[in-house]
Amino acid sequence: MKLATALWVLLLILTALTTQSAVIAAGFLVPFVLVMTYIKGQVVIDHFMGLRHATSRLRWIVPAWLLVVVGGIAYTFTLS
Amino acid sequence: MKYQSQAVAKPYFIAAIGLFLGQILFGLIMGLQYVVGDYLFPAIPFNVARMVHTNLLIVWLLFGFMGAAYYLIPEEAERELFSPKLALAMFWIFLVAGAATILGYLLVPYATLAEMTGNNILATMGREFLEQPLPTKVGIVIVALAMLFNLSMTVLKGRKTAINLVLLLGLWGLAIFFLFSFYNPANLVKDKFYWWWVVHLWVEGVWELIMGAMLAFVLIKVTGVDREVIEKWLYIIIAMALISGLIGTGHHYYWIGTPEYWQWWGSVFSAMEPIPFFMMTLFAFNMVNRRRREHPNQAAVLWALGTGVMAFLGAGVWGFLHTLAPVNFYTHGSQITAAHGHMAFYGAYALVVLTMISYTMPILRGREANSRKAQVVEMWAFWLMTIAMVFITLFLTAAGILQIWLQRIAAEPMGFMAAQDQVALFYWMREITGLVFFTGLVLYIVSFFIKGEEARAS
Amino acid sequence: MSSAFTKSAARNIFYGGAVFFFLLLVGLSFDTMQTLPKRDNRENLSESAIRGKHIWETRNCIGCHTLLGEGAYFAPELGNVYTRRGPEFIKAWIQSQPTGVPGRRQMPNFNLTDAQLNDLVEFFKYTAGIDTAKWPPNVEG
Amino acid sequence: MNIAATLPASHDQPRTLPGDLAIWFFIFAELLVFGVFFLAYAFARARNVELFDASQLQLDRISGAINTALLISSSYFVVRAVDRIRHGASHACAGWLVAAMTLGGAFLVLKLTEFAGKFAAGITMSTNTFFMFYIGLGFFHFMHVVLGMIILGWVAHKAWRGGYSAANHAGVETGASYWHMVDLVWIVLFPLIYVMH
């Protein structure tokens, strides 16, 4: 549970960073926030949902979902 | 047949097949009117033929559902039907009401029929698929409620399985959502909005529960796979059907005056609607592959697998083709819709009723399965009808694409009738394929009269 | 170790999911009803147009035509027919049916009175004023 | 706390997906819907950047951030609850679940305040495409929080009455998995709609 607690604190810090990042330089904002989001999502998937230790053949779906969504969002921000 | 009262299913199934034949005959008339415009005019104008065609479809499917329920529920509940007499009485009421309605369409001008049947008291007629006169609509409600009372009492006093609960829930939903057919506001947008609460919430909602339950029942019987396995997959599949299908109603709310956010909601959710159908296909094949016995009725197995595949193609794939709002902007109200409608109704609902009939009819007639000879003919009927339906769908799709191009996309858009003339070739091909379908149906009926030694489990 | 997959969990998901998404549908429908006054042209739904809708229904026009894309696909779209043809053409057309041209699609003559024709045209006028998110793609429907 | 308790139980025995497989079908379907909506938002935004950026300025980012913290914390509490039941501590499990639900309730209150402000300003789903997503997706997620709380409440009730044990607690994991999904979706939704521009 120490790990979970540490990760919880980490998630809160990353959230604060995400929120504050809105005031930092515009060009840097999107990649920074997306990386934060990806890390947060992966932490929740691996350690909170517990998929890191799952043995099912279906366990790749959730991380793949996160990758596709974050990747897709990143792509659309290169369009404009 | 385990319980005597299951026998009430038989007249329902016979009526269903008879009305099915009528539906196809009127379909052929309409198909010909598409290319020979004045065929049978003014005796049977197109709108009358279409009304008969679609209403017969609905009524025979309802007969099929009811018959299936009267067979399935006692067997699952492990007790006799609450009241076989009530079920039989409802059969005759429904048959007479249905026949009178069809005769009314054919013999009396629709406006006169409306006046005669009290449409001025409560105007409900003249809307697609809900053309029935007020007394018929009330009759449908009464028949449905009597049936639900009968079946619910049976289940309440008997064993409650996933299959009979899901079937019962589907039938209750069918009756409840039909009540929206009595609501016909003058405001056209509201009229259309709630009209879909009957039509969509039937075919992409509660009917899928009925279909799932019937398919699961037949699969348990013909494969011998553990009920526990089949029932939990049934729950997951129908859960997916409702998750995608309920908000999927939005794919009808793109262009009828409803807010534009439906374009997003409808597109996202209806894009998921193929998933439950795909799962159903996998489910059917999986269960057959895991079968613990070779059931002597191989025709029923074929119909069941056919239901899975054709429902996925017709409802899933052909639905998805034009469900996204940017695509639907061009395809809405074209022959593409007709293509999808044909294969979806055949694949999902006609086939599941025929599956049920194929499995139960031999038992109702006192044997586990028909003779090999009869089954071979029945399978031929399956293939003829199914392949014909695939081609009808393909030709209508081709007609639709060409129609859309000429009428809606081309730099110099053509008028409706001019575009129709350009696609006439596809309509001819559709009509010829329709004759093949009809041949298949005749063969199907013939198969009931072929005797021979009863097939045994191998 | 095989994955836990129980019928009771599957059942709960079915019932829960069905109720959840039905409530969502009700919620969206509620919002739709709030928004409709801005889109459904109800201010032009005159007594005459209401009578026209009744005529539209009791002649089973939907059995051949589409209205806002819904109906049969045997005859032209009529949701925008008021824009496409105008009132006089519509009336003259209805009165001149059937054309009787051999082999062509035929429309019955419904023997409508002048007042009924006016009501029907009023209904088409009201329909053409509904905000359909720019559908159909062009005036041909 | 003994040594076994400090290690995740999963190290002892290989496990399949936590909880009942049935909930995972539901989770996958929900993720698919949310995923498609997120991408739809992103592509719609790319085609209308000015409108989205201007509309986004009307959102209360701090409220969104607090809500993120609330959901993350409640997710963490649920992890604690699962850990407790693995040791057979039913009442502690129920306690952590109630704590998680309390934070979920706070999320709902804050979200409602946010929506009330928007509605008072006359903003609806039909205002523009940005607000269609903000209100529609927000409300959709809101309903998921409500459903998640119902599930957690049910699990907590059963746990309190001793319905689960160290050996048999799949029900807790099932509820927990759903709640983490609700959290995961919000973790993407918050930066996407409130922050990135």
Side-chain angles (χ1 to χ4, degrees):
Chain A
M1 278 302 102
K2 278 177 187 160
L3 176 64
T5 309
L7 290 171
W8 170 46
V9 175
L10 172 72
L11 287 173
L12 291 179
I13 293 169
L14 292 184
T15 302
L17 282 176
T18 304
T19 314
Q20 283 311 309
S21 67
V23 289
I24 64 169
F28 202 56
L29 170 85
V30 170
F32 180 75
V33 170
L34 280 174
V35 169
M36 297 287 119
T37 305
Y38 184 75
I39 295 172
K40 283 162 73 182
Q42 198 62 47
V43 166
V44 169
I45 292 168
D46 279 347
H47 298 281
F48 283 14
M49 278 185 165
L51 288 190
R52 187 184 176 86
H53 306 297
T55 50
S56 166
R57 272 183 298 167
L58 299 174
R59 72 168 192 166
W60 59 272
I61 293 179
V62 186
W65 174 86
L66 183 66
L67 197 64
V68 169
V69 169
V70 171
I73 293 169
Y75 169 72
T76 64
F77 275 85
T78 65
L79 295 177
S80 50
Chain B
M1 194 165 53
K2 272 189 180 155
Y3 300 94
Q4 283 307 313
S5 52
Q6 288 177 294
V8 295
K10 199 169 163 182
Y12 279 91
F13 288 148
I14 293 171
I17 295 170
L19 297 173
F20 184 23
L21 184 69
Q23 187 215 344
I24 301 311
L25 283 173
F26 277 87
L28 289 173
I29 292 174
M30 294 163 69
L32 197 54
Q33 285 175 336
Y34 254 94
V35 273
V36 185
D38 56 355
Y39 177 66
L40 288 185
F41 189 88
I44 307 178
F46 181 87
N47 65 337
V48 173
R50 183 180 197 263
M51 195 157 56
V52 174
H53 178 69
T54 55
N55 281 237
L56 279 177
L57 166 70
I58 296 166
V59 172
W60 87 256
L61 290 179
L62 290 180
F63 266 114
F65 290 169
M66 290 176 178
Y70 284 129
Y71 183 93
L72 187 157
I73 297 253
E75 186 148 335
E76 288 286 300
E78 294 187 332
R79 68 183 301 279
E80 294 286 352
L81 194 60
F82 179 74
S83 168
K85 281 199 182 112
L86 181 63
L88 211 55
M90 285 306 126
F91 168 76
W92 287 108
I93 291 175
F94 196 35
L95 187 68
V96 170
T101 305
I102 301 294
L103 287 176
Y105 291 160
L106 287 169
L107 301 177
V108 187
Y110 194 68
T112 319
L113 185 67
E115 213 148 294
M116 283 161 52
T117 55
N119 194 55
N120 289 330
I121 304 166
L122 180 64
T124 65
M125 292 171 70
R127 294 174 303 150
E128 196 184 3
F129 310 129
L130 304 181
E131 296 94 345
Q132 307 83 22
L134 190 58
T136 312
K137 284 201 180 87
V138 174
I140 291 174
V141 173
I142 291 171
V143 168
L145 287 181
M147 172 192 72
L148 285 166
F149 167 72
N150 208 347
L151 295 174
S152 301
M153 291 306 284
T154 313
V155 173
L156 278 178
K157 294 186 171 182
R159 186 176 64 144
K160 291 153 197 72
T161 67
I163 289 179
N164 62 17
L165 288 178
V166 169
L167 180 65
L168 211 51
L169 190 65
L171 291 169
W172 272 103
L174 184 153
I176 288 166
F177 287 114
F178 184 69
L179 295 179
F180 282 95
S181 71
F182 293 95
Y183 178 61
N184 179 17
N187 185 330
L188 185 67
V189 181
K190 275 191 186 175
D191 172 6
K192 284 174 173 289
F193 189 88
Y194 290 107
W195 179 82
W196 283 115
W197 281 52
V198 187
V199 178
H200 178 92
L201 294 182
W202 266 19
V203 298
E204 283 160 77
V206 291
W207 283 27
E208 287 190 50
L209 308 191
I210 299 171
M211 176 196 175
M214 285 159 66
L215 197 60
F217 175 78
V218 173
L219 286 173
I220 287 182
K221 297 293 173 184
V222 300
T223 64
V225 171
D226 199 10
R227 165 181 295 275
E228 198 69 12
V229 175
I230 287 190
E231 287 190 336
K232 66 191 180 189
W233 281 106
L234 170 66
Y235 273 130
I236 292 292
I237 290 171
I238 58 177
M240 290 297 154
L242 292 190
I243 288 170
S244 58
L246 285 171
I247 307 299
T249 317
H251 63 210
H252 302 294
Y253 296 159
Y254 298 160
W255 327 112
I256 60 167
T258 31
E260 285 168 41
Y261 56 72
W262 283 109
Q263 292 178 26
W264 295 99
W265 289 89
S267 298
V268 170
F269 279 89
S270 60
M272 287 174 57
E273 282 189 54
I275 295 174
F277 286 107
F278 185 63
M279 289 173 80
M280 208 177 284
T281 314
L282 287 182
F283 169 64
F285 275 88
N286 237 310
M287 293 308 135
V288 171
N289 282 339
R290 288 161 68 172
R291 67 187 175 273
R292 297 234 183 104
R293 60 179 297 207
E294 290 296 336
H295 196 276
N297 192 344
Q298 285 301 303
V301 178
L302 179 65
W303 288 107
L305 293 177
T307 307
V309 175
M310 295 304 290
F312 172 62
L313 279 180
V317 177
W318 252 263
F320 182 76
L321 273 184
H322 60 142
T323 202
L324 300 177
V327 178
N328 193 263
F329 182 67
Y330 293 100
T331 60
H332 181 55
S334 70
Q335 292 296 326
I336 300 286
T337 319
H340 160 62
H342 279 86
M343 209 203 285
F345 262 102
Y346 175 75
Y349 298 119
L351 277 183
V352 79
V353 169
L354 295 179
T355 303
M356 198 67 197
I357 294 178
S358 176
Y359 170 72
T360 58
M361 260 308 205
I363 300 171
L364 288 167
R365 296 166 85 193
R367 49 182 177 260
E368 195 182 8
N370 289 327
S371 67
R372 283 307 302 167
K373 256 165 60 189
Q375 285 195 39
V376 168
V377 176
E378 194 182 334
M379 290 188 196
W380 267 94
F382 168 84
W383 285 111
L384 276 178
M385 285 198 278
T386 301
I387 291 171
M389 186 48 82
V390 169
F391 278 93
I392 287 173
T393 306
L394 288 174
F395 291 140
L396 285 179
T397 306
I401 291 170
L402 190 53
Q403 176 196 11
I404 290 161
W405 176 260
L406 294 172
Q407 192 184 321
R408 291 179 175 169
I409 297 178
E412 303 252 328
M414 253 182 207
F416 178 87
M417 276 314 298
Q420 290 293 302
D421 288 340
Q422 296 297 312
V423 301
L425 175 65
F426 292 117
Y427 292 145
W428 275 115
M429 287 155 82
R430 183 266 300 264
E431 181 70 357
I432 294 164
T433 331
L435 287 170
V436 177
F437 189 96
F438 180 71
T439 314
L441 178 55
V442 170
L443 214 53
Y444 176 69
I445 294 170
V446 167
S447 78
F448 284 87
F449 299 97
I450 294 177
K451 300 210 163 39
E453 200 182 327
E454 183 179 339
R456 303 228 172 265
S458 53
Chain C
M1 182 179 164
S2 71
S3 190
F5 181 20
T6 60
K7 191 164 80 182
S8 65
R11 184 197 58 215
N12 293 344
I13 280 164
F14 164 64
Y15 285 117
V19 170
F20 182 88
F21 282 93
F22 186 72
L23 289 177
L24 184 61
L25 177 64
V26 170
L28 287 169
S29 299
F30 179 77
D31 183 84
T32 299
M33 291 303 127
Q34 305 302 306
T35 316
L36 275 194
K38 282 184 219 143
R39 303 181 61 91
D40 63 9
N41 196 25
R42 62 180 63 183
E43 60 278 11
N44 290 318
L45 188 55
S46 60
E47 286 300 315
S48 170
I50 293 173
R51 285 195 302 272
K53 181 169 187 273
H54 194 69
I55 294 166
W56 163 270
E57 286 167 359
T58 51
R59 271 63 182 180
N60 192 31
C61 307
I62 203 90
C64 291
H65 294 276
T66 47
L67 190 69
L68 305 185
E70 293 167 358
Y73 320 108
F74 188 70
E77 162 69 30
L78 296 185
N80 65 345
V81 71
Y82 189 85
T83 324
R84 181 164 69 239
R85 299 296 196 187
E88 293 315 312
F89 181 97
I90 296 172
K91 288 190 230 176
W93 178 265
I94 295 173
Q95 280 173 316
S96 68
Q97 297 305 311
T99 60
V101 179
R104 296 294 290 177
R105 296 181 189 174
Q106 300 294 322
M107 171 167 157
N109 193 306
F110 294 104
N111 303 311
L112 300 179
T113 64
D114 283 346
Q116 287 176 316
L117 283 172
N118 282 329
D119 289 342
L120 195 52
V121 166
E122 272 305 300
F123 173 62
F124 288 138
K125 188 177 168 188
Y126 150 72
T127 308
I130 293 171
D131 182 350
T132 56
K134 300 191 182 70
W135 192 89
N138 65 51
V139 75
E140 295 299 344
Chain D
M1 213 181 241
N2 60 29
I3 292 178
T6 57
L7 289 168
S10 45
H11 282 185
D12 310 334
Q13 45 177 353
R15 293 183 308 120
T16 53
L17 291 173
D20 198 293
L21 183 62
I23 196 73
W24 286 95
F25 284 109
F26 196 41
I27 289 175
F28 295 152
E30 301 267 45
L31 285 178
L32 183 61
V33 173
F34 274 109
V36 173
F37 263 121
F38 290 157
L39 293 177
Y41 172 92
F43 278 93
R45 183 197 164 276
R47 286 170 50 187
N48 211 338
V49 176
E50 282 88 29
L51 174 81
F52 274 64
D53 286 356
S55 305
Q56 194 183 53
L57 289 176
Q58 298 181 48
L59 300 192
D60 183 353
R61 186 181 299 127
I62 298 303
S63 160
I66 295 172
N67 266 342
T68 313
L70 286 171
L71 278 194
I72 286 176
S73 305
S74 76
S75 226
Y76 165 69
F77 290 176
V78 166
V79 172
R80 299 294 303 245
V82 173
D83 175 66
R84 287 296 84 206
I85 200 65
R86 279 185 187 145
H87 297 90
S90 290
H91 284 187
C93 169
W96 280 112
L97 289 175
V98 170
M101 285 164 64
T102 310
L103 296 192
F107 175 96
L108 295 181
V109 171
L110 204 53
K111 195 77 204 172
L112 276 182
T113 320
E114 232 184 88
F115 276 151
K118 296 291 172 289
F119 292 146
I123 291 171
T124 68
M125 275 210 289
S126 299
T127 298
N128 63 37
T129 311
F130 176 82
F131 282 111
M132 194 295 283
F133 280 107
Y134 167 71
I135 294 174
L137 214 42
F139 179 69
F140 188 46
H141 182 267
F142 182 92
M143 283 182 69
H144 280 79
V145 177
V146 174
L147 179 62
M149 284 174 64
I150 293 172
I151 295 174
L152 288 188
W154 192 38
V155 173
H157 178 69
K158 192 172 167 188
W160 184 261
R161 291 175 50 191
Y164 301 108
S165 63
N168 178 13
H169 55 263
V172 183
E173 290 184 348
T174 303
S177 300
Y178 189 78
W179 189 256
H180 293 315
M181 185 275 289
V182 175
D183 178 32
L184 176 63
V185 165
W186 182 262
I187 282 177
V188 179
L189 195 155
F190 166 63
L192 180 64
I193 292 186
Y194 286 76
V195 180
M196 298 201 318
H197 54 83

